[in-house]
Amino acid sequence: MYRYDQYDQAMVDTRVAEFRDQVERRLSGKLAEEHFRPLRLMNGLYLQLHAYMLRVAVPYGTLSGAQMHVLADIADKYDRGYGHFTTRQNIQYNWIKLEETPDLLADLAAVEMHAIQTSGNCIRNISSDQYAGAAADELIDPRPYAELLRQWSSFHPEFCTLPRKFKICVIASDTDRAAMKLHDIGIRIIRNDAGEIGAAFYVGGGMGRTPMIAPCIREFVPLDQLVTYSEACLRVYNRYGRRDNKYKARIKILVHELGAAEYTRQVEEEFAHLKTQGIEPPIAELERIKTYFADPAFDADASDAIDRSDALFARWVDRNTHPHKQKGYAIATISLKPVGGIPGDASAHQMHVMADLARDYSFDECRVTHAQNIVLAHVRKADLYALWQKLVAADLATANLDTIGDIIACPGLDYCSLANARSIPVAQKISRRFAESGKEDAIGELKLKISGCINACGHHHAGHIGILGVDRKGTENYQLLLGGCEGDDTSLGKITGPGFDEDGIVDAVEKATDVYLAQRQEGERFLDTYRRIGVDIFKEAIYG
Amino acid sequence: MKILTGNDLKTGAVTWWTGYDWSLHVEDAVDVGSEADAILAREEGARRVNASYAIDAVRDTDGGVRPAHIKDRIRALGPTVRPDLTLKPADPNAGNWVI
Ligand code: SF4
């Protein structure tokens, strides 16, 4: 994985020193909150429902074992013994003290990490495929390009005060595992008919209160013009994005209001101009970055055999592992969704365990997924059983990847000051009900996503079943959405009808899954059945 | 009643105005009547509180102070999903008024 050079390290160290000074001035009264607030937000420090919350960037979700150990140490030293992995492949701590934040950031900087640009109207952490560099269906590893864009977007002076926040995703496989079309810019690396590798640009997607699927505005950008084309997309947005209305300030609104064709025309014009300016980094820099993402030293003789005599282990293999490009290897997902647990939370102890497992079984590297799980990307099949046993001991072996128990849930009203309703208790009740009834296995793949408000951090628009928490005259209420999907056939869920209270929404979810179980045809997932039979049968069962 | 809440500047902890200081416990909160703005301006200026605001609350029959909105009731005790992290983790009845 990428390692900082002296410039990266100097930038991060300088920022820690700068923020230390800013905190001192705030605490001594030389800075008022109105002036300090934008400074702390630039460093990922929010004031949330119960305390300060720090969001730490995990570039394209990739972490070394040493970094994961430090994240665990931070949970113990500065927080209350746990952290929350987010749908942006980052980690958040919920109980941070302002006076300790500079020391915390210094600890992060020591392992090449930071919290810069995890908040504010700037280009946020670049997300990517959690199976990058390992998936059998991958064209090339997208992470060198994500890293190039990370370097370009870090402290980019022109884009540090955009109309709104800006999220970029880079993938390079047939299957979209990163909700690419629901980003401000989604980049898919492809091979064209001439056999050249380049990138398709999807611009203007997003969730929030106005969800939109990004249209493809250019089917092929040569890879040596990736930064220039990205800059053109950003420039047009920065120039014309709506600064007058926070709710209309995301690029999706601009693309929608201008129309994709006119937005594209303006981008192309800007692109033509920028190509004369020589802003693309030298190809040598990309080659330098690529060396960090070379394949690890795979064991060429690794066997494909897996001893499946332990039924619980076999179930975990079937559910939580994925084909690897290398013979004898598998990609293993560690579920952070124990039955009745808090989605995405991991204790410091569990983080230490995962760091050790990354070191022992996956070339000292792990990934955070947007579904709030952890991936060990390169595990020898012969090691899977030993790995699984250690996961069992740490309560990390739940075999529920992509099932109704693998719920994405935002922090909701238990932690978030913007929330209307709690997300986590709903996730816990659904997870328990379906695990205890045994229906989880019968249902198979079903992506359920819960947000505590319209900001949609829990991706409810993209859930096969989505749940949105709303405030109904001061009480929590939950709307049900059906038919959303991220990935290749991205679609947005539709609200079924009036909302429910906490128990009511759990019942409604069960009724929807009962319709599926009764109606499904051979090989159909919940989403397939929904698309085939339409919403009315579901509505009848839920409200009838 | 009108009560005042905010966060401790250094630690971020949720605090409640007691009439002369800020407490971690909502039951210490006092009715500030029409004095909210003046108290908040003074206390923010002295950096004894951060991000403070006035809210409606009621005093229940046991004498406890109950913020009117669920968001502030959750702030008062802690996340409902982590009873071990609330202010009174040993008391199973603590917070039975939050939801
Ligand atoms: S969706 Fe709303 S409640 Fe959930 S984390 Fe985002 S802002 Fe908070």
Side-chain angles (χ1 to χ4, degrees):
Chain A
M1 56 183 281
Y2 184 72
R3 300 299 313 264
Y4 280 7
D5 61 17
Q6 71 270 33
Y7 303 109
D8 295 303
Q9 192 66 53
M11 280 195 280
V12 171
D13 290 342
T14 305
R15 178 55 86 85
V16 173
E18 182 185 70
F19 191 57
R20 189 181 293 283
D21 175 61
Q22 290 161 347
V23 169
E24 277 166 17
R25 286 192 286 144
R26 173 67 183 119
L27 292 175
S28 68
K30 289 181 187 149
L31 268 180
E33 184 66 12
E34 63 181 302
H35 300 124
F36 179 67
R37 187 172 175 276
L39 301 175
R40 70 168 158 75
L41 288 175
M42 280 180 201
N43 291 285
L45 191 66
Y46 292 69
L47 188 54
Q48 280 290 10
L49 212 56
H50 305 291
Y52 294 100
M53 179 273 275
L54 184 76
R55 182 178 298 146
V56 176
V58 181
Y60 30 90
T62 299
L63 284 168
S64 69
Q67 288 174 326
M68 184 67 109
H69 274 305
V70 168
L71 294 181
D73 289 340
I74 285 171
D76 269 338
K77 190 171 165 190
Y78 302 104
D79 202 272
R80 298 191 179 180
Y82 69 108
H84 176 73
F85 291 97
T86 77
T87 54
R88 293 280 306 145
Q89 299 179 286
N90 292 322
I91 184 170
Q92 294 178 177
Y93 296 100
N94 295 303
W95 305 94
I96 297 302
K97 296 183 172 71
L98 176 61
E99 55 191 347
E100 294 179 351
T101 308
D103 289 342
L104 188 169
L105 294 177
D107 289 357
L108 279 177
V111 287
E112 304 179 2
M113 296 188 82
H114 60 72
I116 299 161
Q117 290 182 211
T118 60
S119 173
N121 295 335
C122 54
I123 302 174
R124 304 287 187 88
N125 186 36
I126 314 270
S127 56
S128 188
D129 184 348
Q130 68 270 20
Y131 298 163
D137 67 341
E138 182 173 273
L139 181 63
I140 53 173
D141 189 336
R143 291 173 302 167
Y145 304 94
E147 172 58 28
L148 188 71
L149 291 171
R150 184 194 74 78
Q151 296 189 16
W152 159 75
S153 60
S154 296
F155 301 111
H156 194 309
E158 194 175 325
F159 304 138
C160 59
T161 50
L162 291 166
R164 278 292 273 144
K165 58 188 169 183
F166 204 92
K167 300 173 183 177
I168 300 175
C169 174
V170 187
I171 65 168
S173 54
D174 292 341
T175 308
D176 171 11
R177 287 173 283 264
M180 180 270 291
K181 289 180 192 164
L182 295 168
H183 284 73
D184 296 287
I185 295 181
I187 296 172
R188 170 179 254 146
I189 297 174
I190 50 161
R191 192 191 301 277
N192 68 9
D193 293 342
E196 301 154 337
I197 294 184
F201 269 66
Y202 295 77
V203 181
M207 292 190 246
R209 67 182 59 227
T210 319
M212 298 213 183
I213 300 169
C216 181
I217 69 157
R218 202 179 215 259
E219 287 183 356
F220 192 84
V221 176
L223 280 186
D224 61 359
Q225 294 169 6
L226 195 67
V227 166
T228 310
Y229 200 79
S230 301
E231 180 124 349
C233 293
L234 262 297
R235 269 204 169 175
V236 174
Y237 167 56
N238 201 20
R239 196 176 292 148
Y240 298 118
R242 297 269 305 263
R243 285 185 157 83
D244 61 317
N245 183 340
K246 184 180 171 194
Y247 301 116
K248 298 197 169 181
R250 296 290 292 266
I251 193 173
K252 61 192 172 189
I253 304 294
L254 179 71
V255 173
H256 182 70
E257 288 185 350
L258 283 178
E262 172 57 17
Y263 172 76
T264 307
R265 188 194 66 73
Q266 296 189 19
V267 169
E268 291 293 331
E269 200 173 283
E270 189 63 41
F271 181 49
H273 165 67
L274 283 172
K275 278 200 285 189
T276 67
Q277 304 297 301
I279 65 163
E280 194 71 30
I283 205 74
E285 175 58 10
L286 180 60
E287 295 304 323
R288 183 186 78 88
I289 291 171
K290 275 187 185 167
T291 60
Y292 291 104
F293 295 95
D295 278 348
F298 292 125
D299 171 6
D301 300 324
S303 164
D304 272 328
I306 297 175
D307 179 353
R308 297 171 56 91
S309 51
D310 183 327
L312 285 177
F313 167 65
R315 182 169 176 269
W316 178 81
V317 169
D318 291 342
R319 183 50 70 189
N320 285 38
T321 67
H322 187 86
H324 198 284
K325 66 181 182 183
Q326 177 72 23
K327 177 185 144 316
Y329 283 78
I331 303 169
T333 298
I334 301 172
S335 170
L336 297 184
K337 320 287 175 63
V339 176
I342 298 178
D345 276 15
S347 68
H349 169 68
Q350 288 176 318
M351 287 188 248
H352 281 306
V353 168
M354 291 189 285
D356 286 343
L357 295 176
R359 179 199 61 208
D360 294 344
Y361 298 110
S362 191
F363 298 95
D364 202 24
E365 189 209 284
C366 51
R367 289 96 181 271
V368 184
T369 81
H370 85 275
Q372 303 177 284
N373 293 315
I374 302 294
V375 161
L376 299 181
H378 311 294
V379 183
R380 282 195 327 158
K381 288 181 180 169
D383 289 334
L384 282 172
Y385 191 62
L387 167 67
W388 175 77
Q389 287 177 306
K390 289 175 183 168
L391 291 173
V392 170
D395 197 19
L396 287 168
T398 313
N400 62 358
L401 185 65
D402 292 339
T403 69
I404 196 165
D406 184 15
I407 298 168
I408 290 183
C410 77
L413 192 51
D414 278 299
Y415 291 100
C416 175
S417 56
L418 300 174
N420 288 324
R422 292 170 301 149
S423 307
I424 298 167
V426 175
Q428 291 174 310
K429 282 189 177 171
I430 292 171
S431 152
R432 276 197 206 99
R433 180 172 301 185
F434 283 83
E436 284 162 11
S437 68
K439 283 185 185 171
E440 178 178 295
D441 279 344
I443 293 167
E445 182 183 320
L446 195 163
K447 299 195 181 181
L448 194 148
K449 308 179 192 239
I450 309 175
S451 302
C453 81
I454 195 68
N455 289 324
C457 305
H459 295 189
H460 64 276
H461 298 295
H464 301 174
I465 296 179
I467 296 174
L468 167 64
V470 295
D471 179 341
R472 196 155 155 221
K473 296 183 187 149
T475 59
E476 297 169 297
N477 193 262
Y478 298 92
Q479 293 181 337
L480 183 72
L481 295 87
L482 296 177
C485 176
E486 64 207 1
D488 310 308
D489 49 353
T490 301
S491 57
L492 301 171
K494 293 202 170 58
I495 294 173
T496 53
F500 304 88
D501 65 12
E502 188 177 310
D503 289 328
I505 192 71
V506 181
D507 291 339
V509 167
E510 185 158 30
K511 285 175 186 165
T513 58
D514 285 345
V515 170
Y516 160 66
L517 289 172
Q519 299 280 341
R520 71 176 164 190
Q521 293 179 353
E522 182 71 24
E524 274 186 345
R525 304 167 300 163
F526 176 91
L527 183 68
D528 304 323
T529 303
Y530 171 84
R531 285 176 172 167
R532 178 174 55 78
I533 67 176
V535 73
D536 289 344
I537 300 179
F538 288 91
K539 275 191 184 173
E540 210 174 292
I542 294 164
Y543 296 101
Chain B
M1 62 193 286
K2 275 262 184 268
I3 64 173
L4 305 181
T5 183
N7 297 78
D8 184 80
L9 174 62
K10 286 186 190 168
T11 66
V14 173
T15 55
W16 308 89
W17 176 245
T18 68
Y20 54 90
D21 202 353
W22 294 88
S23 166
L24 296 177
H25 304 284
V26 69
E27 52 265 37
D28 296 337
V30 294
D31 188 356
V32 296
S34 58
E35 299 298 309
D37 290 347
I39 298 169
L40 292 181
R42 188 187 71 221
E43 292 295 307
E44 287 263 355
R47 302 188 309 285
R48 283 154 54 93
V49 70
N50 191 22
S52 57
Y53 55 100
I55 59 168
D56 291 322
V58 293
R59 194 173 287 285
D60 74 7
T61 46
D62 306 337
V65 178
R66 309 295 179 232
H69 198 278
I70 181 175
K71 184 174 291 189
D72 293 304
R73 294 200 297 276
I74 291 176
R75 286 180 75 246
L77 202 73
T80 65
V81 292
R82 288 295 302 262
D84 56 319
L85 299 180
T86 57
L87 280 179
K88 296 172 182 168
D91 178 357
N93 291 320
N96 54 12
W97 46 269
V98 169
I99 300 304

